[in-house]
Amino acid sequence: MAGTKEIKTHIESVGETRKITNAMYLIASTKLRRARQELDQTRPYFEALRGEIRRIFRTAYNVDSRFFYPVGDDTPLKGTYGCLLITADKGLAGAYNQNAIRVAQQLLERHPDTKLFVVGEYGRRFFDQKRISIEHSFLYTAQNPTMARAREISARLLDGFDRGELKEIYVIYTDMESAMSFQARAARLLPFHRTHFAGAPQGEGAMTERFEFYPDVGTVLNNIMRSYVTGFIYSALIDSFCCEQDARMNAMDNADRNAEKLLGDLSLQYNRVRQAAITQEITEISAGARAQRQKKGR
């Protein structure tokens, strides 16, 4: 059995670890609050673009665009796919990184001819260790996503799509379904199905007037779609960042609870060992006193 010194050292070590997990929880909660504000500010722009694309399809549903499947044709394209994987820069976030990587591995199994584009140090290290080729790794941190970074990623992916090197592009990110629930998912970024933008813009279902597009509806749609792709990637970056902080908060909260339970068990063990040591000392003193009395009596 461990002595009081070893148990006391263990208690101090757990206490220091608990301070670290508590500090990480507070940092993650602050980052999550800021990221949610950015996400709330992003969604109106994203929905406005969707509304404009819906309006275009209301005017000219059969418009031809390389960003969409042809009308009535939903057949998966043959050729090389592109996959943008968004992970964190570090662990200590529960199963957040593993879930996103698992979805990426499933995509690679279904379609081996897939080029990986990775955001986040965790994903880079994982595929390097597995000796899986990465087409391009965006070396900046996954923390604090910005629109400038989204434009850089979008430009890289759209360049491969425009040249015909990438037939389909997927984005694997973690979707924050609610404040208490999130899930890793693979969303096909390009090409889109036209039904993805079906329906009238919100609040404009009764509008019947037609619109004029300059120089033509196809050019307008293609320009909007490039902005939409950038907005989608930016939203995915922020969504993933929110989920990362939420997962880290949960992991640190669980670690704090486990540390508290462990401290309780160690304190009880320490008191028992200390009490046993005191009892042993009292027994030895009593035995010595008894021996002295017997000696004097003789």
Side-chain angles (χ1 to χ4, degrees), residues 264-284:
D265 295 340
L266 288 173
S267 297
L268 181 60
Q269 184 181 356
Y270 176 81
N271 291 332
R272 286 177 177 175
V273 172
R274 183 168 174 271
Q275 186 64 42
I278 294 174
T279 302
Q280 180 66 25
E281 292 176 358
I282 293 175
T283 301
E284 292 174 355

Side-chain angles (χ1 to χ4, degrees), residues 84 117-119 124 136-141 145-160 189 226-227 229-231 233-234 237:
L84 174 64
F117 300 82
V118 180
V119 175
R124 287 193 289 268
H136 184 79
S137 180
F138 299 96
L139 298 180
Y140 43 74
T141 176
T146 64
M147 182 61 77
R149 293 175 179 176
R151 290 193 183 99
E152 179 185 344
I153 297 172
S154 173
R156 183 98 186 185
L157 295 176
L158 286 172
D159 183 59
L189 182 60
R226 301 186 76 88
S227 298
V229 168
T230 301
I233 293 175
Y234 181 54
L237 290 171

